[in-house]
Amino acid sequence: MRRLGVPALIPALLTIPALALTLPASSAAQPEAAAGPNPFRDGWSETVVDADQNLRGLEAVSRREAWVTGESLTDDGPARVFRTTDRGRTWTDVSPDGTEGLSFRDVEVHGSVAHVLAIGPGEASRIYRSTDGGASWDESFRNTDEKAFYDCMAFYGKGRHGLAVSDPVGGKLRILATDDRGRSWSVLPDKGMPRSKDEFGFAASGDCLVTSGRSAFLITGGKKSRVLRSDDRGRTWTAVPSGIPAGEAAGGFAGAFASPRVGIAVGGDFAEADDTEDTTAYTRDGRTWTTGGDLSHVGEDVTFLRGTRYAVATGDYDGSVGSSITTDGGRTWKRASRKGYHAIDCVDTVCWAAGSKGRVGHN
């Protein structure tokens, strides 16, 4: 996310106050959610892991284990990685060395292998890899093209194959790929990528690129707001409008898929965060998208609960804060809380959330 749309917006992102996501039993969404998965019945337990970190990377591995990544709120401070294996009661700093001035925006964990993506222009974009729970790290990729700016990363299945996406280089979004569990990465030819000048992924939560089955989906904004799909591990892509309005700092910010056919995209406009019309879209065939119900807050991230009908969206930007639940696969949404986070991820109905000033929530 080279800007979250605009370079001037980045400083604001680093100072957003994060609030606990608390969904009381009396919330408006509770009657609908009660009939199905409801991860918020008992509210959230929140921990400040590191108040100096703006947390936007999140991976919920299990009911007990989660990883979060961030960037320092102090100029040239180190980017951090934290891990819990006891349902969030304690967190361990498992950060790589030498991360001063970096911005960790995505974390992916598959089995014993963890990957962390640092975003930024040129060499600021890097990927670190650990096979021992973060005790040690190798730098598996460092970008050397000053025109590239990597935003998001995703892996397929058990983690052998993975992709990362950069803002356009030469008028097309750039795809980086690995076929050896992230040990090495290479840039794919762009012949199969549609023209995408001034179109980009937002690194709001690390979920602008996601996979489901053998398919990968890229949620974009900027000049165009689209969903791009690849069924051949990133070599060729088809693109369709998402229905979320485009703009210099607007479009789709994140996506989630219950299957290759059932998905939800959320977004908004970081330049006008209070404009929350047409902030969601959904698909029932994985190829065409319909505008969903409006959120009452910006949509920085979304995750499915168990099944295809229940999902949670959250956001926290410039006073546009909240969390919402859908019980019909994204067609309609109910606000569940006036509090929100940057990132959310669930395992069955156990959810984790991460936000500014080091706040991590767990239900």
Side-chain angles (χ1 to χ4, degrees):
M1 171 200 74
R2 170 174 296 155
R3 334 120 284 251
L4 269 187
V6 190
L9 291 178
I10 291 180
L13 281 172
L14 302 182
T15 58
I16 303 169
L19 298 172
L21 175 60
T22 305
L23 302 171
S26 60
S27 71
Q30 192 71 20
E32 290 189 64
N38 177 14
F40 311 119
R41 186 171 290 110
D42 298 322
W44 284 91
S45 172
E46 185 175 84
T47 301
V48 177
V49 176
D50 183 343
D52 183 56
Q53 292 289 304
N54 179 42
L55 300 175
R56 288 186 177 273
L58 169 64
E59 175 83 335
V61 178
S62 69
R63 292 171 175 264
R64 299 183 60 85
E65 181 182 357
W67 297 60
V68 294
T69 61
E71 59 198 357
S72 177
L73 299 175
T74 303
D75 289 344
D76 295 322
R80 298 292 190 193
V81 181
F82 296 93
R83 180 192 185 202
T84 182
T85 57
D86 58 8
R87 297 179 63 90
R89 285 188 289 272
T90 61
W91 291 83
T92 302
D93 185 341
V94 294
S95 306
D97 295 328
T99 64
E100 289 76 12
L102 296 183
S103 176
F104 287 152
R105 291 296 182 96
D106 201 354
V107 55
E108 302 285 332
V109 182
H110 293 268
S112 62
V113 184
H115 313 267
V116 173
L117 172 69
I119 69 166
E123 292 191 1
S125 283
R126 307 175 190 182
I127 298 175
Y128 293 85
R129 180 178 186 267
S130 175
T131 59
D132 54 12
S136 63
W137 295 86
D138 294 319
E139 184 181 298
S140 57
F141 170 76
R142 181 179 296 205
N143 175 43
T144 58
D145 188 338
E146 290 298 323
K147 297 179 181 179
F149 186 115
Y150 286 86
D151 302 295
C152 299
M153 172 177 61
F155 283 77
Y156 295 86
K158 296 182 179 180
R160 180 175 181 82
H161 305 281
L163 304 174
V165 61
S166 163
D167 289 348
V169 177
K172 292 184 177 183
L173 292 159
R174 172 170 286 183
I175 301 297
L176 189 70
T178 180
D179 293 317
D180 58 7
R181 300 186 182 278
R183 294 182 183 88
S184 62
W185 296 81
S186 59
V187 175
L188 295 182
D190 67 1
K191 182 178 180 180
M193 174 64 71
R195 295 292 298 177
S196 42
K197 183 179 180 181
D198 298 324
E199 180 180 7
F200 40 81
F202 286 83
S205 61
D207 283 333
C208 67
L209 176 65
V210 292
T211 63
S212 181
R214 297 186 177 182
S215 301
F217 298 87
L218 176 55
I219 316 299
T220 71
K223 186 175 182 179
K224 296 179 181 179
S225 180
R226 302 191 291 183
V227 179
L228 284 72
R229 173 174 177 150
S230 174
D231 296 312
D232 58 5
R233 294 179 183 156
R235 293 174 178 80
T236 62
W237 298 80
T238 57
V240 296
S242 68
I244 300 173
E248 189 176 14
F253 299 156
F257 288 80
S259 75
R261 297 177 60 87
V262 179
I264 294 173
V266 299
D269 188 344
F270 284 121
E272 298 182 28
D274 289 337
D275 182 359
T276 58
E277 292 186 10
D278 300 330
T279 41
T280 74
Y282 64 92
T283 182
R284 297 290 188 266
D285 61 8
R287 301 186 183 279
T288 58
W289 290 78
T290 302
T291 301
D294 297 341
L295 300 174
S296 55
H297 52 82
V298 67
E300 291 188 274
D301 203 6
V302 61
T303 183
F304 275 93
L305 304 176
R306 188 170 53 235
T308 61
R309 296 171 55 200
Y310 295 84
V312 186
T314 191
D316 180 3
Y317 182 77
D318 195 23
S320 183
V321 183
S323 298
S324 299
I325 296 177
T326 180
T327 61
D328 54 18
R331 188 174 62 85
T332 62
W333 294 84
K334 289 289 186 179
R335 187 172 191 144
S337 175
R338 293 188 178 276
K339 299 177 181 180
Y341 286 102
H342 299 321
I344 189 168
D345 196 14
C346 299
V347 178
D348 291 329
T349 59
V350 174
C351 294
W352 303 79
S356 300
K357 295 185 179 178
R359 298 175 184 251
V360 177
H362 176 237
N363 70 319

